[in-house]
Amino acid sequence: DSLHYSIGLLGISAGSLLLTVHFYTVSRAAPLIPSTALGILLLILSSLLAYAGIRRSLRNASLFLSLCLTISVSWCSYGMVFILGGQGVLNDTGDFRNALVPGLVTFTLALLIIAVVGFLHREVILAMIAFAVSFASAHEIAMHYNIAFGSPAVACNYMIACLVGGYFALGRFLYFLTKEKIVLPGTDPSKNKTHEQVKSTSGSMNHFATTGLTLNMLSASVFGCRLLGVTSKLFIGQVPWLWTSGVYQIGICILSYRAMDTLMATFFGFTSILKFAAGYSLLYPIWQSEEPSFAIPFLVVFAILFAILALFLMLKSIVDGLYLLFYVAYCIAIACCPKGFFEGGPQGMDVAIFVATALMTLIYQYNTKENAIVPTGKGVVKALLARSSFLKLREGADLHAPYLGYSKYADAEVLGYACSVLASFAIMITGDPKTPLATVVVPWVVVAGGILKFLSGSVAFARGKTLESSAFILYGVMWIIWGLTRYGGLYGTTRSFHTAVGIVAFMLFNGFIVFCTLFLSITWFFYSLTFLLITISFLLDAINALPAGYDIAAALIFGLVSFYCFLSALFNSIFEGSCLPMGRPIVQLSGVGGGMSKCLHLPARKASSVKRIADILKNGGTCGIPTDTVYVLVAACNRPDAVEKAHNSKHQAQERPMSLWISSLKQLEPAKHLFTPLLWDFMEAAWPSPISLVIPRGEWVDFLGMKDSAKYVGTPQSIAIRIPDCSVTTHLIDLVGPIVVTSANPTGEADTTHHNQVYAKLGDKVDAVLCDGPSPENIASTVVDCTKINSGNIGFFRVGIIPKSQVLQILEQVQKK
């Protein structure tokens, strides 16, 4: 906990020291640190700060998270600008000013907000660092317009940040070296931890939203500064600010799904598309002399999606919904201007977005750190809907329940369907094949249809939706390849047989998905089927046989089906019931999916889940559970019916008999006299561990209450027994008693290494699965034959993760004892 906090603040101090040296020597003919080297070092530090902030965010440290991520974005973009300068892309002082000022304006204000909130919350160290870096950015802006300010003023502010970090480092060293006897003010980690634990009880909150709003300020500043005359032109030097904010915004989108905030995650995914498109537009003059034009259908649809999302965000708070209306107006402004970002209308909206976003950032940051909440209309619309009998909001513990197992992410299907809408309407523009770059289409297709859809597929897979994730990932790859090839200038006017072969391969894969969706839902069937129309248009275009208007018709049909899916997923994620149903499967086979509603998937991280699994085992059920090796199928050994059920579900082979697990040797204490001293000492030395010991069958079995279950366990001569080195498993055995164990897979198949595989391999033959994600190992335990241990000999049935040498070393130590 303290480590990531220290890494973040010391990383800021290191970067501040680096910039201090730079600005003290920048007036020389040859600066001490070359521009390229400075840029690379800042990129390294920015990645370190992003890591520290995100890792620390798991402890609900919103102010520290905002500070680290804000400075990380700043230094990442700042470093890239310096690399462009070092490589000769930025030729003179005016270019540096035009490139740096828009970003410096944003981070001056953003860090000032963090500093003010930090002082209000009495986080003096964070506030002082934020103030120092904010004033350094402000002085640098002044230096670019008035040489009288001089670079030493900037260096002094960075030196303050460095000294504050040094004070913090000194406090932490004294804290640990003196064993907590000397504590400098503001450097005690225990106080911060206690405070954050108290704050975390107030409910879940998306602490990443503040950084996402700051990124919106950054992109708006680039174009707003041009309109206000702060900068004299738009050019390649400002692309780092736009594309860095786009990349970080996609990261914020993923982290918002981790925070179970589907609506804000979708919003940040939308805004990242605009940032990549803006950066692409500034790069456009490199290969074309004139400014690019924009696809009107796409922007109109984009405005509609923003408007719908704004309506749903009003359920969260009225202020959030109203804020999204600025982006509705922004998309309309771009659609009304042929040259898009380069005209005054969209730039005027950028100024409005900058001001609105600054206010939103202040409200978000203040509300997460203060008891006096700024009113945002939170819950007002929700209270009105509570009186309605037609629409009932989804609430409670199952709000973000996954399809299988448990997931750390909220559902991302809303974003996936929206990206399909955007990509399909983006390709409806008929551009000139000789100048494919004349119309801005590439970012709409590649980012919206490809990258974000790939993200949605990854989240869907994490939530157990294998078919949906496969479709999203396939379509994402298809949009990326086709977007870069057809609209990126690689395709040209020639047609290629090889291109057609590649498209046919995609069509075959999509045909398999269409077949599978027959068993999923009607909507998914039409969704995958209409994408097949898109791939057919790609194929016809590749062989130069595309009928006039077919591609537009196919894109329109797929876009409308995707739009319905978007609305359905959005409604069903917010409201109970089927407001806009996805439909039932077209084909239903008897016996398929019959156990889906019976088999519980419970997260292992919750004590209540372990207790529920224990109750199921006590009542004669069989469950799949995680261990220190792979997943296993277990039953209570005092329930012969459950043991027989587990045995039959496996079609157990005689060479792989079921084993017995206990939680401690205390459960065998009543039968200790039945074991030889050497064997008992060997068990004490070997357990808990992934070592299963095969010991002679005897009267000791009766002390465990196995009764009629004994005939299913082990062989007539011996039984394998183990104490697992896994706290969840041993706690479960404490609640249930000794358990009978077998691998959670049909005999002869590979071991099961994920909770979803347990259900996939055993189906409805298992009553519940205790889910803990991927198993720590890919192979089962080490099985050691101890039937002849009294003569000093042991044999190995199977060597797992424990090498023979280690087992032999344990035996040798016991024999010496």
Side-chain angles (χ1 to χ4, degrees):
D1 214 19
S2 175
L3 174 64
H4 300 112
Y5 195 88
S6 303
I7 289 175
L9 292 187
L10 294 179
I12 295 174
S13 301
S16 299
L17 179 61
L18 190 69
L19 291 170
T20 300
V21 174
H22 167 74
F23 281 104
Y24 268 125
T25 61
V26 73
S27 58
R28 298 180 181 178
L32 185 63
I33 306 176
S35 295
T36 303
L38 177 64
I40 293 173
L41 291 173
L42 288 175
L43 289 177
I44 295 172
L45 287 172
S46 68
S47 61
L48 185 67
L49 291 179
Y51 166 79
I54 293 171
R55 292 290 297 177
R56 180 67 172 176
S57 69
L58 302 177
R59 297 294 182 265
N60 215 15
S62 62
L63 190 67
F64 176 79
L65 165 69
S66 299
L67 177 64
C68 282
L69 289 186
T70 300
I71 296 181
S72 175
V73 176
S74 174
W75 286 353
C76 181
S77 310
Y78 198 67
M80 291 174 66
V81 172
F82 272 100
I83 292 175
L84 292 178
Q87 298 302 309
V89 177
L90 306 180
N91 299 319
D92 53 26
T93 306
D95 281 351
F96 263 102
R97 181 177 67 247
N98 290 323
L100 289 174
V101 168
L104 294 175
V105 168
T106 299
F107 292 110
T108 299
L109 182 57
L111 291 170
L112 187 61
I113 292 173
I114 294 174
V116 171
V117 175
F119 275 122
L120 292 175
H121 193 64
R122 299 178 183 177
E123 299 235 11
V124 181
I125 297 289
L126 299 182
M128 290 182 65
I129 290 178
F131 259 126
V133 180
S134 175
F135 287 161
S137 299
H139 275 93
E140 188 173 355
I141 295 172
M143 180 188 73
H144 283 296
Y145 289 96
N146 190 345
I147 197 64
F149 280 91
S151 58
V154 183
C156 286
N157 285 288
Y158 280 119
M159 179 59 72
I160 293 173
C162 184
L163 292 176
V164 173
Y167 167 81
F168 168 81
L170 176 62
R172 285 297 168 95
F173 277 121
L174 291 175
Y175 179 85
F176 290 108
L177 290 177
T178 62
K179 297 181 179 180
E180 305 181 13
K181 293 180 181 178
I182 300 177
V183 181
L184 297 181
T187 62
D188 187 358
S190 60
K191 290 184 179 180
N192 291 333
K193 186 175 180 180
T194 303
H195 174 73
E196 287 159 15
Q197 287 175 343
V198 172
K199 290 294 292 181
S200 65
T201 59
S202 62
S204 60
M205 184 176 295
N206 186 1
H207 296 289
F208 304 98
T210 306
T211 305
L213 292 171
T214 302
L215 296 171
N216 290 341
M217 290 173 57
L218 178 57
S219 58
S221 176
V222 171
F223 297 99
C225 287
R226 175 66 190 93
L227 178 69
L228 298 176
V230 178
T231 56
S232 59
K233 63 177 179 178
L234 297 171
F235 72 123
I236 188 175
Q238 293 146 354
V239 173
W241 301 110
L242 295 170
W243 278 11
T244 299
S245 62
V247 171
Y248 273 78
Q249 196 112 55
I250 291 179
I252 297 298
C253 174
I254 298 172
L255 294 171
S256 296
Y257 282 120
R258 282 291 297 266
M260 301 299 171
D261 192 350
T262 302
L263 296 177
M264 289 303 289
T266 306
F267 167 64
F268 290 137
F270 284 176
T271 53
S272 68
I273 301 171
L274 291 172
K275 293 171 176 55
F276 283 107
Y280 172 85
S281 299
L282 297 191
L283 286 177
Y284 182 85
I286 295 177
W287 53 77
Q288 296 285 346
S289 58
E290 60 181 16
E291 294 172 343
S293 59
F294 288 78
I296 295 178
F298 173 89
L299 293 164
V300 172
V301 171
F302 210 176
I304 295 172
L305 295 180
F306 267 119
I308 295 173
L309 193 62
L311 292 176
F312 280 89
L313 262 175
M314 285 187 180
L315 296 172
K316 180 181 178 182
S317 76
I318 294 177
V319 171
D320 287 336
L322 294 176
Y323 173 66
L324 258 68
L325 295 181
F326 282 91
Y327 279 91
V328 176
Y330 187 48
C331 292
I332 294 174
I334 299 174
C336 293
C337 299
K339 301 305 178 184
F341 299 110
F342 295 94
E343 298 198 25
Q347 292 174 9
M349 282 306 306
D350 277 305
V351 175
I353 289 174
F354 183 89
V355 175
T357 307
L359 293 175
M360 289 290 294
T361 304
L362 179 60
I363 292 172
Y364 261 76
Q365 193 69 71
Y366 185 81
N367 285 351
T368 56
K369 303 304 291 184
E370 289 297 319
N371 295 325
I373 303 297
V374 177
T376 59
K378 185 177 181 180
V380 173
V381 178
K382 186 182 292 187
L384 293 175
L385 286 176
R387 303 176 183 177
S388 171
S389 59
F390 178 69
L391 294 175
K392 187 176 180 181
L393 293 172
R394 291 185 58 194
E395 294 179 324
D398 296 331
L399 180 61
H400 299 289
Y403 182 75
L404 283 178
Y406 77 94
S407 175
K408 297 178 180 179
Y409 299 89
D411 201 342
E413 282 196 12
V414 174
L415 180 61
Y417 295 131
C419 289
S420 295
V421 178
L422 295 174
S424 60
F425 278 93
I427 65 171
M428 289 180 65
I429 187 70
T430 55
D432 186 355
K434 296 182 179 179
T435 57
L437 300 176
T439 304
V440 177
V441 177
V442 173
W444 309 137
V445 177
V446 174
V447 179
I451 297 174
L452 292 179
K453 188 175 283 293
F454 191 88
L455 185 157
S456 303
S458 301
V459 174
F461 182 80
R463 292 177 58 82
K465 295 185 175 182
T466 308
L467 178 58
E468 294 92 326
S469 67
S470 300
F472 281 144
I473 292 173
L474 173 70
Y475 298 168
V477 172
M478 187 67 185
W479 285 122
I480 291 174
I481 294 175
W482 186 252
L484 292 175
T485 304
R486 177 67 178 84
Y487 303 104
L490 303 178
Y491 196 51
T493 56
T494 60
R495 301 298 186 260
S496 171
F497 172 76
H498 305 288
T499 305
V501 171
I503 296 172
V504 169
F506 273 101
M507 292 175 64
L508 292 175
F509 196 172
N510 188 62
F512 174 73
I513 290 178
V514 172
F515 172 76
C516 292
T517 54
L518 290 171
F519 307 92
L520 185 60
S521 69
I522 296 175
T523 308
W524 255 99
F525 172 74
F526 282 107
Y527 178 71
S528 57
L529 184 64
T530 50
F531 186 79
L532 194 60
L533 299 178
I534 296 283
T535 56
I536 291 174
S537 72
F538 293 167
L539 177 62
L540 294 176
D541 186 63
I543 61 176
N544 204 14
L546 181 65
Y550 175 83
D551 53 343
I552 296 178
L556 181 61
I557 294 172
F558 179 68
L560 292 176
V561 172
S562 301
F563 184 71
Y564 177 83
C565 293
F566 166 75
L567 290 177
S568 177
L570 197 55
F571 269 94
N572 294 332
S573 65
I574 302 297
F575 300 106
E576 292 183 358
S578 299
C579 303
L580 294 173
M582 296 289 285
R584 294 185 176 183
I586 297 176
V587 179
Q588 288 183 326
L589 299 178
S590 59
V592 175
M596 198 170 296
S597 60
K598 299 178 182 179
C599 180
L600 297 173
H601 289 72
L602 304 171
R605 65 185 185 276
K606 292 185 177 180
S608 59
S609 300
V610 180
K611 185 178 183 301
R612 196 169 179 184
I613 292 289
D615 293 337
I616 293 173
L617 293 176
K618 290 178 182 178
N619 292 326
T622 59
C623 300
I625 66 170
T627 69
D628 49 346
T629 53
V630 295
Y631 279 80
V632 295
L633 178 65
V634 302
C637 72
N638 59 359
R639 293 297 303 256
D641 53 338
V643 176
E644 182 180 6
K645 179 182 177 182
H647 183 275
N648 294 336
S649 66
K650 282 269 299 177
H651 301 291
Q652 188 71 29
Q654 293 300 320
E655 63 271 15
R656 295 291 295 273
M658 303 176 77
S659 59
L660 181 68
W661 285 11
I662 58 178
S663 59
S664 70
L665 278 176
K666 291 182 180 180
Q667 293 174 327
L668 287 178
E669 282 284 354
K672 183 176 180 180
H673 62 282
L674 300 175
F675 298 92
T676 63
L678 180 61
L679 178 57
W680 188 267
D681 290 342
F682 186 53
M683 288 191 293
E684 283 186 331
W687 292 335
S689 70
I691 300 176
S692 296
L693 302 182
V694 179
I695 59 179
R697 182 186 289 269
E699 298 178 3
W700 60 272
V701 175
D702 300 330
F703 287 87
L704 298 178
M706 293 186 66
K707 301 179 183 178
D708 295 337
S709 304
K711 61 182 179 181
Y712 298 107
V713 183
T715 66
Q717 296 78 30
S718 60
I719 293 179
I721 188 170
R722 180 157 87 94
I723 299 178
D725 191 14
C726 178
S727 57
V728 173
T729 310
T730 53
H731 179 53
L732 179 64
I733 299 174
D734 285 335
L735 296 175
V736 178
I739 58 175
V740 174
V741 178
T742 183
S743 57
N745 55 271
T747 302
E749 292 190 9
D751 291 318
T752 305
T753 59
H754 195 279
H755 59 255
N756 284 342
Q757 293 180 4
V758 178
Y759 182 80
K761 292 185 176 184
L762 298 181
D764 53 5
K765 297 176 183 178
V766 60
D767 296 296
V769 179
L770 192 61
C771 307
D772 196 30
S775 61
E777 302 292 340
N778 293 323
I779 52 177
S781 62
T782 304
V783 182
V784 180
D785 181 8
C786 296
T787 54
K788 299 179 181 179
I789 192 172
N790 288 327
S791 60
N793 296 323
I794 60 174
F796 291 88
F797 280 128
R798 185 176 70 250
V799 177
I801 62 175
I802 302 295
K804 291 183 179 181
S805 59
Q806 185 174 341
V807 180
L808 293 172
Q809 186 178 5
I810 295 174
L811 176 61
E812 185 180 355
Q813 292 174 353
V814 172
Q815 287 175 324
K816 289 181 180 180
K817 176 183 176 182

